[in-house]
Amino acid sequence: MTLADMTAERDPSGSVALAVDLGGTKVEAALVTAEGVVVDGSAHRAPTGPDAGRRALEDAVDRVVLASIAHLPDGSALVGVGVGSAGPVDLGRGTVSPKNLPRLHGFDLRTHVARLLPDAPVVVRLDGTCIALAEHWLGATRGTENSMAMIVSTGVGGGIILHGRLIAGRSGNAGHIGQVQIASRVPGESADDATLERIASGPRSVAWARTRGWDGHTGEELAVDAAAGDPVARSAVVRSATAVGQAIASAATLLDLEAVAVGGGFTAVSTDYLDLVRVAVQDAIVLDYAAGVVVTGSALDGAGPILGAAALVHRPEALGLPPLDPMHHPRRRSLAR
Amino acid sequence: MTLADMTAERDPSGSVALAVDLGGTKVEAALVTAEGVVVDGSAHRAPTGPDAGRRALEDAVDRVVLASIAHLPDGSALVGVGVGSAGPVDLGRGTVSPKNLPRLHGFDLRTHVARLLPDAPVVVRLDGTCIALAEHWLGATRGTENSMAMIVSTGVGGGIILHGRLIAGRSGNAGHIGQVQIASRVPGESADDATLERIASGPRSVAWARTRGWDGHTGEELAVDAAAGDPVARSAVVRSATAVGQAIASAATLLDLEAVAVGGGFTAVSTDYLDLVRVAVQDAIVLDYAAGVVVTGSALDGAGPILGAAALVHRPEALGLPPLDPMHHPRRRSLAR
């Protein structure tokens, strides 16, 4: 018996969301139930990347969407499509311009997806805000009203929930914590280089260590050497975590946050990475109320973007929208392929 | 004919709010109509200050409240009391702990005011957030959905409105932009000294200039000498404005803001202070969407805190509360003195 069968048996009238995540290295799609369960067999992915042409990227989106939707369980209803995208985005125009997919800039992702599924409402949001929504729904910030989620990886991104509601901002780009200034630049670096991503990301940490004589090339090598006691590798790890902590301190002060969930591949560079972040948060905070912010690891890791995209459908109240009315959505119909 | 008479004639059933602002140097109270007009004769103030004892401070609050309420126009109804307070605050407990009024820490300001006006609902919020609300209601950020207001004076504070709603955060302290980190520290200063207020406030700017050989003592002297071409005084002005601009860049990036209103006495230190801020904002922004943030002067200046406190009553929708129902509030009754 597959998970899809189980889901169908357990909740024969189940509402299912199609979740799509468009990122700099891959695009993913999956069907997700209202309980946050990925329907068995429905998760599909295709590569993207900065060198891909526009047509190839559009085809990749189509391919994962159609492969995923084919797994809609009998008796389930597709109640909507949630799409997370690498930013920046322009929600007013409905377009996305992922930094690492230059050929796709100005892409009308909403209309592109909607043409495949003409009866389902499609909601697009920044991927970082989807991750915040996922942690708030099913993960590390569940039960809080004011939280942030962060990803530290090849880039540094995030999303913010305040008073229980996803913060989009004017154009949908709120949550770009990677481009916030922090104080931890070293003498000789310019203020331009004092934004979080340029200090703390995996590639920047590797590059920083190399300028100081370390001769590895990857985050994995940095992790091994830091664990083995290489002082430069270890310094690169501490420098990244400290910068992340300083940015969290600023955000927790400015927004009076309860909790911050930190995930992303580079946080695995050291087993004490989160501890280093927590120390830096406390060192940088100057007002008592902010010191109560709880810093945790992500509870969802790689599943965050897809679960968050699904939350755009299943948790409309967090977007400031009225709750889904099932009568206003197509139910129990077959989807044209 | 007084303004109070005019108000009463124009709107004989007018709803009036009592607005109170408790700050580090003074406490003020005034009656404010639903149109944002201060009732003639109703504005009263008393000094506070770090050396004042708790009883004296409590008496000062009572004095301005009672002096103000005596001017309630005949036929008008006091529909509520809005109170802004210097922070930090603890809205969960209902207490305030103004940084510069150490004897008053943990003060239950809401209950204290409510005992004077037992039939009126009392709402307390951080003063910075009141200023944001005032600019949004009547001032420089009117018509926007995502904005920040800042004060640069003896301290640096602020408040945030996102999606048309005042952001309070967990304990009511969201908006403390003065304690956000920025990159503009000079070599030799510690990261602790890289928060905005410690760089950009009036007293800190004066102190910074003095360590570099300038021999004045006040912001006014700094203004005169900077205008006369003293290079150290001018550098202190640029340094403050640059730090303010860097903090705005970070906030506009993180929150995708439309507009920021900058006020406070120290912004008058130079006629081009706001221009310097705008240059620094653009220099520090690394993502295009954030560059559209509009930086303006305050349209309300000294009236901001009182009008914002009144907005806590007259604009409940901005607090996420349902609109005022006049049937649930006392109307047209005399107030016990």
Side-chain angles (χ1 to χ4, degrees):
Chain A
M1 179 182 273
T2 68
L3 177 57
D5 296 331
M6 290 171 63
T7 304
E9 269 187 27
R10 203 175 54 223
D11 179 9
S13 64
S15 298
V16 171
L18 175 67
V20 181
D21 178 58
L22 175 60
T25 59
K26 62 182 187 297
V27 55
E28 293 187 283
L31 297 172
V32 180
T33 71
E35 294 78 33
V37 177
V38 174
V39 172
D40 197 30
S42 74
H44 292 266
R45 62 168 63 179
T48 58
D51 301 324
R54 182 157 184 139
R55 181 61 190 271
L57 290 166
E58 294 183 5
D59 287 349
V61 172
D62 289 355
R63 212 156 59 240
V64 296
V65 165
L66 294 175
S68 185
I69 206 70
H71 291 266
L72 187 70
D74 288 343
S76 288
L78 181 74
V79 288
V81 183
V83 184
S85 175
V89 300
D90 185 337
L91 293 187
R93 292 196 177 125
T95 58
V96 304
S97 300
K99 214 169 25 172
N100 296 321
L101 303 176
R103 311 276 173 79
L104 212 56
H105 282 194
F107 180 42
D108 188 343
L109 181 54
R110 209 197 64 77
T111 301
H112 185 84
V113 171
R115 89 188 199 295
L116 296 174
L117 302 159
D119 293 321
V122 180
V123 179
V124 176
R125 288 290 185 279
L126 188 69
D127 52 3
T129 61
C130 289
I131 291 165
L133 209 50
E135 295 288 350
H136 183 250
W137 181 25
L138 300 163
T141 60
R142 201 161 20 162
T144 67
E145 287 283 305
N146 303 283
S147 68
M148 184 167 70
M150 293 178 67
I151 295 292
V152 184
S153 179
T154 52
V156 177
I160 297 165
I161 289 175
L162 298 175
H163 301 292
R165 183 175 164 191
L166 191 63
I167 297 301
R170 169 173 53 176
S171 58
N173 286 297
H176 270 99
I177 185 85
Q179 285 69 40
V180 162
Q181 281 197 351
I182 53 176
S184 65
R185 75 194 154 105
V186 297
E189 285 176 350
S190 74
D192 282 355
D193 287 324
T195 51
L196 175 61
E197 182 174 282
R198 292 180 186 182
I199 295 173
S201 75
R204 292 280 182 159
S205 297
V206 164
W208 182 90
R210 287 180 57 80
T211 64
R212 276 149 191 83
W214 178 72
D215 63 358
H217 290 87
T218 67
E220 290 73 17
E221 290 168 344
L222 197 71
V224 169
D225 288 354
D230 180 290
V232 173
R234 177 65 184 170
S235 293
V237 170
V238 172
R239 179 174 175 271
S240 169
T242 300
V244 168
Q246 290 181 337
I248 290 174
S250 282
T253 298
L254 185 62
L255 302 175
D256 197 357
L257 300 174
E258 298 164 66
V260 178
V262 183
F266 195 67
T267 62
V269 71
S270 173
T271 53
D272 67 349
Y273 189 89
L274 275 183
D275 292 330
L276 295 168
V277 169
R278 291 188 188 104
V279 168
V281 169
Q282 295 301 322
D283 282 352
I285 278 174
V286 294
L287 290 173
D288 286 346
Y289 72 83
V293 65
V294 176
V295 177
T296 64
S298 163
L300 306 170
D301 282 324
I306 280 292
L307 294 175
L312 296 174
V313 175
H314 289 310
R315 306 257 295 177
E317 68 281 5
L319 279 76
L321 302 173
L324 272 182
D325 178 353
M327 302 310 290
H328 290 170
H329 293 286
R331 293 180 71 85
R332 254 170 292 280
R333 62 186 296 282
S334 309
L335 284 141
R337 291 295 303 277
Chain B
M1 181 181 275
T2 66
L3 176 58
D5 296 332
M6 289 171 64
T7 304
E9 270 187 27
R10 204 175 54 222
D11 178 10
S13 65
S15 297
V16 171
L18 175 67
V20 181
D21 177 58
L22 175 60
T25 60
K26 61 181 187 298
V27 56
E28 294 188 283
L31 297 171
V32 180
T33 72
E35 295 78 34
V37 176
V38 174
V39 173
D40 197 29
S42 73
H44 291 267
R45 63 168 63 181
T48 57
D51 301 324
R54 182 160 185 135
R55 183 60 190 271
L57 291 166
E58 294 182 5
D59 286 350
V61 172
D62 289 354
R63 212 154 61 240
V64 297
V65 165
L66 293 175
S68 184
I69 206 70
H71 291 266
L72 187 70
D74 288 342
S76 288
L78 181 73
V79 288
V81 184
V83 184
S85 174
V89 301
D90 185 337
L91 294 187
R93 292 196 179 125
T95 58
V96 304
S97 300
K99 214 167 27 171
N100 296 322
L101 302 177
R103 308 278 174 78
L104 212 55
H105 282 195
F107 181 42
D108 188 344
L109 182 54
R110 209 198 64 76
T111 301
H112 185 84
V113 171
R115 89 188 199 292
L116 296 173
L117 302 158
D119 293 322
V122 180
V123 179
V124 177
R125 288 289 186 280
L126 188 70
D127 53 2
T129 62
C130 289
I131 291 164
L133 209 50
E135 297 287 351
H136 183 249
W137 181 26
L138 301 163
T141 60
R142 200 161 22 163
T144 67
E145 287 282 305
N146 302 283
S147 67
M148 184 167 71
M150 291 177 68
I151 296 292
V152 185
S153 180
T154 50
V156 176
I160 298 166
I161 289 175
L162 298 175
H163 301 292
R165 184 176 163 187
L166 191 63
I167 298 300
R170 169 174 52 176
S171 58
N173 287 296
H176 269 101
I177 185 84
Q179 285 69 39
V180 161
Q181 280 199 351
I182 54 176
S184 65
R185 74 196 154 104
V186 297
E189 284 176 350
S190 73
D192 281 354
D193 287 324
T195 52
L196 175 61
E197 182 174 283
R198 293 182 185 181
I199 294 173
S201 76
R204 291 280 182 159
S205 297
V206 164
W208 182 88
R210 286 180 57 79
T211 62
R212 276 147 191 85
W214 178 72
D215 63 358
H217 290 88
T218 68
E220 290 73 18
E221 291 168 344
L222 196 71
V224 169
D225 289 352
D230 180 290
V232 172
R234 176 66 183 168
S235 293
V237 170
V238 173
R239 179 174 175 272
S240 169
T242 301
V244 169
Q246 292 182 338
I248 290 174
S250 282
T253 298
L254 186 62
L255 302 175
D256 198 356
L257 300 174
E258 298 165 65
V260 178
V262 184
F266 195 67
T267 63
V269 72
S270 175
T271 53
D272 67 350
Y273 189 89
L274 274 184
D275 293 330
L276 295 169
V277 169
R278 291 187 188 104
V279 168
V281 170
Q282 295 301 322
D283 282 352
I285 277 175
V286 294
L287 291 173
D288 286 347
Y289 72 83
V293 66
V294 176
V295 177
T296 64
S298 164
L300 306 170
D301 283 327
I306 280 291
L307 294 176
L312 297 175
V313 175
H314 289 311
R315 306 258 295 175
E317 68 282 6
L319 281 76
L321 301 174
L324 271 184
D325 177 352
M327 301 310 289
H328 290 169
H329 293 285
R331 293 180 71 86
R332 254 170 292 280
R333 64 186 296 283
S334 309
L335 285 141
R337 290 295 302 278

